[in-house]
Amino acid sequence: QVQLVESGGGLVQPGGSLTLSCAASGSNLSFYAMAWYRQAPGKQRELVASIIMKGGNTDYVDSVKGRFTISRDNAKDTVYLRMNNLKPEDTAVYYCHGNFGGLRIGGHYDYWGQGTPVTVSS
């Protein structure tokens, strides 16, 4: 079955950096696009960054522009989120997401990872 597994979350001080990883497996096809979402307690899940796997086009929510970088390694079916200059407001559970450009593959149109928590605190 198609699955996404995140890693790299943890505790970091304000101004610090973390890199999250998301490895995809179980699909005969590569994702068309992948993304990172985050959800803080009591808040709606929001899209943080996205990337088109083939061409590498990226997009970011305004609050992380210039600080976060999403990248991919197509050979490893893995996406990364490099987070620099972290702020307490970045504290959330970060979720990996993938889709097949509107196609239903493996019984679903999209897939979610379990999430990895990021806490930014002194």
Side-chain angles (χ1 to χ4, degrees), residues 17-18 29 52 55-56 64 69-70 78-79 81 85 88 90 92-94 117:
S17 298
L18 277 178
L29 298 175
I52 306 299
V64 309
T69 302
I70 187 170
T78 300
V79 295
L81 185 67
N85 191 25
D90 297 317
V93 178
Y94 284 71

Side-chain angles (χ1 to χ4, degrees), residues 25-107:
S25 65
S27 176
N28 293 325
L29 298 175
S30 299
F31 285 116
Y32 170 74
M34 298 185 73
W36 288 96
Y37 288 73
R38 66 185 181 188
Q39 187 166 23
K43 294 186 177 180
Q44 192 76 19
R45 188 173 298 186
E46 68 170 341
L47 176 62
V48 177
S50 61
I51 186 166
I52 306 299
M53 299 300 285
K54 187 174 183 179
N57 301 43
T58 60
D59 201 7
Y60 302 89
V61 67
D62 286 344
S63 60
V64 309
K65 286 182 178 177
R67 300 190 297 121
F68 291 11
T69 302
I70 187 170
S71 61
R72 92 292 195 196
D73 186 338
N74 288 334
K76 296 181 178 180
D77 290 324
T78 300
V79 295
Y80 307 91
L81 185 67
R82 177 62 177 175
M83 304 182 293
N84 294 323
N85 191 25
L86 282 160
K87 305 176 184 297
E89 307 92 89
D90 297 317
T91 297
V93 178
Y94 284 71
Y95 296 90
C96 184
H97 177 267
N99 71 61
F100 298 99
L103 299 178
R104 187 180 181 185
I105 303 295

Side-chain angles (χ1 to χ4, degrees), residues 104-109 111:
R104 187 180 181 185
I105 303 295
H108 300 273
Y109 290 101
Y111 290 85

